[in-house]
Amino acid sequence: MKTRSAKNDDLRSPKGMRDLVSEEVFLFQGFLEKAAEAAIYYGFKPIETPVLEQEELFTRSVGEDTDIVSKEMFSLKTRGGDRLVLRPEGTAGVMRAYLEQGMSALPQPLMFYYGGPFFRHENPQRGRWRQFYQFGLEILGTRKSIADATIINLAKIILEEAGIKNLTFRINSLGDADCRGAFRRDLINYYRKNVRHICVDCRERLKTNPLRLLDCKQPGCIAIKAEAPESIGYLCASCKTHFKEVLEYLDSLGVNYEVDNTLVRGLDYYTRTVFEIFTESHTDDGELTSLALGGGGRYDNLAKTLNSKKEVPAVGMSLGVDRIINLPEYIRHAPRLLKKPRVFFIQLSFDAKLKSFEVIEALRHAKIPIQQSLSKDSIGAQLALAEKNGVPYTIILGQKEAMENTVIVRNMDTRSQDTIKIDKLTEYLKKIK
Ligand code: AMP
């Protein structure tokens, strides 16, 4: 809601979190429903994991030295002493569920989609909230490159059907646990040699999360990055083949991608494929910038870091729903749940109000959605509201009609009126549709 009282400052929603009201909720639901439908056509099944998870799930998987875990988690201690966090991302919870539910015993791979709120204690700014919504896809239990391609292709389809143009997929391969190690070592050595030329944050990253050095946007660091070792140069034969296959799929699917050797995604659990999805968007000052709409990648080692004896190779991605539905080109999809009212229901007098429930319930069974004003007593005010909202018919139930088991149906266009028996009302309304 845009309008809010400035008086109750202490009773505002928490910083970076907002209420979604009426049409805003439908906007989110419309996107999520359409995305879920595309996923279902591709054979994905829904999964809902708790909004709260054990803190350790994220420290172990996403990594203690990532921004998400070190700075951005909302954590709480329960009365029993457990440390829980509001989930900052979806992948770790899905893998936790897979392992906990023994899903490796089912035919593999498993394909899941989900949508819902996520929480990060970031500085709120344009397109960045502390409670935001993601739609995610995960395929667990296969190493095959077609799974990576399926995830990327479906992300593209969902975004294109939402009307988003100018999509660019930046993609890279980090290699597996073995080749990534050599890359990391050389990267650290290279940055150690150049430590005098990098920013303060990067000096810290060098100690805690060296891959993130490649994320830095400081001009000095960008210059150093240009000569840094590239993960692709370290790929072993099977990682090379995997990456080549993924790119071949993307070529044949017409995905607009760029190989970006500096893309690392910063989370510990990624192996092999990583990608981010961008579009061009105008800032409030009219400047054209690229806006990240989603990202993902392969996480073949995640299960092991969560104490699984078996490896569970997997790949996934998530889309930032808040950003997508705020783009000017976004095509609004009404959720199926949303019904446009065809009838404005007016009840006058207590007897009419008593009878009104029966009429409205009959209309609901006949699938005729209504709008009504429960509090306004004057017929003039209620008719004016019906007119303002462009509802084509009004049903008027007054004292006399209640006694006679009838209602008046008024055509708001022609202003003609018919008196109809209540038990014939739905039949009548269906005829004049
Ligand atoms: P990530 O996995 O962090 O790259 O997040 C995937 C997508 O979620 C991003 O590309 C954004 O579109 C969206 N996203 C991430 N963090 C936020 C946030 N704080 N507020 C709104 N959207 C976000």
Side-chain angles (χ1 to χ4, degrees), residues 201-357:
D201 285 348
C202 274
R203 283 181 204 162
E204 196 52 37
R205 284 182 193 129
L206 184 52
K207 287 185 227 143
T208 58
N209 192 349
L211 291 192
R212 291 268 338 261
L213 287 160
L214 299 170
D215 269 347
C216 188
K217 304 284 181 296
Q218 296 288 335
C221 299
I222 290 178
I224 299 296
K225 184 164 73 176
E227 302 295 319
E230 294 174 350
S231 58
I232 285 184
Y234 293 78
L235 299 185
C236 62
S238 67
C239 285
K240 240 184 231 163
T241 307
H242 183 93
F243 193 45
K244 214 170 120 262
E245 285 173 5
V246 172
L247 298 184
E248 265 178 54
Y249 280 120
L250 301 190
D251 282 329
S252 83
L253 290 164
V255 174
N256 179 31
Y257 70 84
E258 287 167 7
V259 174
D260 178 351
N261 294 316
T262 64
L263 183 70
V264 288
R265 300 263 308 138
L267 312 191
D268 282 0
Y269 59 57
Y270 284 118
T271 49
R272 292 193 165 173
T273 316
V274 284
F275 64 92
E276 280 184 354
I277 311 164
F278 291 86
T279 190
E280 299 281 291
S281 152
H282 286 277
T283 62
D284 295 340
D285 308 330
E287 199 188 319
L288 198 63
T289 56
S290 48
L291 180 72
L293 296 183
R298 184 161 268 290
Y299 47 96
D300 294 345
N301 295 331
L302 174 58
K304 284 238 157 150
T305 63
L306 299 180
N307 280 352
S308 163
K309 288 201 184 71
K310 260 189 15 197
E311 261 190 12
V312 182
V315 56
M317 72 97 210
S318 64
L319 296 175
V321 182
D322 310 64
R323 293 188 186 178
I324 295 164
I325 64 177
N326 272 313
L327 289 170
E329 65 266 39
Y330 174 61
I331 300 172
R332 289 169 175 237
H333 294 288
R336 259 181 224 135
L337 189 73
L338 175 61
K339 314 271 181 278
K340 206 169 155 42
R342 292 196 38 237
V343 168
F344 195 98
F345 189 85
I346 296 178
Q347 4 78 353
L348 304 158
S349 87
F350 187 73
D351 286 341
K353 283 184 170 45
L354 279 179
K355 194 123 222 139
S356 67
F357 291 101

Side-chain angles (χ1 to χ4, degrees), residues 120 122 127-129 132 134 265 292-295 318-320 323:
R120 292 184 196 168
E122 297 184 272
R128 205 167 276 289
W129 299 87
F132 58 99
Q134 286 190 338
R265 300 263 308 138
L293 296 183
S318 64
L319 296 175
R323 293 188 186 178

Side-chain angles (χ1 to χ4, degrees), residues 159-167 279 293 324 327 329-330:
L159 288 167
E160 283 178 349
E161 285 197 341
I164 316 304
K165 296 181 194 83
N166 298 324
L167 289 174
T279 190
L293 296 183
I324 295 164
L327 289 170
E329 65 266 39
Y330 174 61

Side-chain angles (χ1 to χ4, degrees), residues 339-406:
K339 314 271 181 278
K340 206 169 155 42
R342 292 196 38 237
V343 168
F344 195 98
F345 189 85
I346 296 178
Q347 4 78 353
L348 304 158
S349 87
F350 187 73
D351 286 341
K353 283 184 170 45
L354 279 179
K355 194 123 222 139
S356 67
F357 291 101
E358 181 194 319
V359 180
I360 295 168
E361 188 58 4
L363 293 175
R364 185 175 75 87
H365 281 290
K367 299 200 186 323
I368 301 171
I370 64 149
Q371 199 186 355
Q372 60 177 334
S373 162
L374 296 175
S375 65
K376 287 198 170 50
D377 280 332
S378 107
I379 184 161
Q382 298 197 55
L383 280 173
L385 196 57
E387 189 129 23
K388 187 171 160 224
N389 292 333
V391 187
Y393 291 94
T394 302
I395 292 174
I396 302 162
L397 179 57
Q399 177 84 15
K400 176 165 170 281
E401 288 76 26
M403 306 266 290
E404 292 172 356
N405 274 327
T406 61

